[in-house]
């Protein structure tokens, strides 16, 4: 009986110790990225990868844009952001909307991020839209961004911005953020010209409709 009781006590102590260790590790991860208590210049891409969710990354970018000296910087309300996480005004006096995507490296950001940030521009009275990601973008996402002039900053771009900021090269960091997006169309006039490009068809749907219509 004494032996069994001793074993139970040891098991309880071990389990409690493991739970305490897990809690402490979780606290270290989350406390490092609260709103006020960390040195933003000490944050690298490795620390961003450890963030528990996207809210920490949004807060980091919010603080980063303020540290870079931008005006009109504010973080949107999470539940009703309409597609923008951070808003700022660049050196040319142009308002930008930013959507932040903290994904794992193996999980590229898709087309929905481009759609959301582009569609919210009129709501925020912005003229430029940016998606900043901790990973790469899918090909459809890059295509839609190029057509709509949405700026994409992928993991490599983000690392360059972070490193420039950490060494105090504010101009270099701003140049990356404000650089022209990759454009697929030269201008809106080209998109709205009288020459209509061919649309990619769903041949299965076309075949089905012809069949039911007897054509």
């Amino acid at each position: 009986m004494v032996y069994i009781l001793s074993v139970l006590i040891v098991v309880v102590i071990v389990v409690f110790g493991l739970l305490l260790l897990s809690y402490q590790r979780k606290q270290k991860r989350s406390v490092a990225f609260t709103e006020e208590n960390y040195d933003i210049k000490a944050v690298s891409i490795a620390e961003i990868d450890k963030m528990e969710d996207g809210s920490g990354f949004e807060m980091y970018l919010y603080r980063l844009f303020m540290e870079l000296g931008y005006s009109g910087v504010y973080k949107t309300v999470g539940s009703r952001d309409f597609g923008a996480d951070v808003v700022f005004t660049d050196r040319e006096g142009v308002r930008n909307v930013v959507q932040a995507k903290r994904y794992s490296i193996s999980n590229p950001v898709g087309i929905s991020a481009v759609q959301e940030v582009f569609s919210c521009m009129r709501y925020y009275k912005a003229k430029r839209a940016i998606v900043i990601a901790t990973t790469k973008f899918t090909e459809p996402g890059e295509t839609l961004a190029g057509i709509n002039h949405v700026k994409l900053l992928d993991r490599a771009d983000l690392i360059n911005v972070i490193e420039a900021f950490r060494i105090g090269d504010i101009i270099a960091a701003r140049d990356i953020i404000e650089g022209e997006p990759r454009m697929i169309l030269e201008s809106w006039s080209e998109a709205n010209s009288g020459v209509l490009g061919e649309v990619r068809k769903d041949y299965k749907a076309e075949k089905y409709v012809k069949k039911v219509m007897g054509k």
Side-chain angles (χ1 to χ4, degrees), residues 36-48:
E36 300 175 337
N37 72 341
Y38 67 88
D39 178 8
I40 190 170
K41 283 199 171 182
V43 177
S44 67
I45 193 66
E47 279 69 45
I48 291 174

Side-chain angles (χ1 to χ4, degrees), residues 32-100:
F33 302 107
T34 55
E35 185 172 349
E36 300 175 337
N37 72 341
Y38 67 88
D39 178 8
I40 190 170
K41 283 199 171 182
V43 177
S44 67
I45 193 66
E47 279 69 45
I48 291 174
D49 287 338
K50 295 175 185 176
M51 292 177 178
E52 293 185 348
D53 54 39
S55 61
F57 184 42
E58 293 169 14
M59 184 61 70
Y60 168 79
L61 290 178
Y62 172 49
R63 289 188 55 186
L64 176 65
F65 284 121
M66 288 195 292
E67 293 283 350
L68 291 175
Y70 285 120
S71 62
V73 182
Y74 65 91
K75 187 179 178 303
T76 61
V77 179
S79 60
R80 290 178 59 86
D81 62 23
F82 294 98
D85 298 311
V86 179
V87 178
F88 74 96
T89 301
D90 63 26
R91 289 173 289 184
E92 296 179 357
V94 175
R95 174 172 281 183
N96 290 244
V97 285
V98 179
Q99 183 167 126

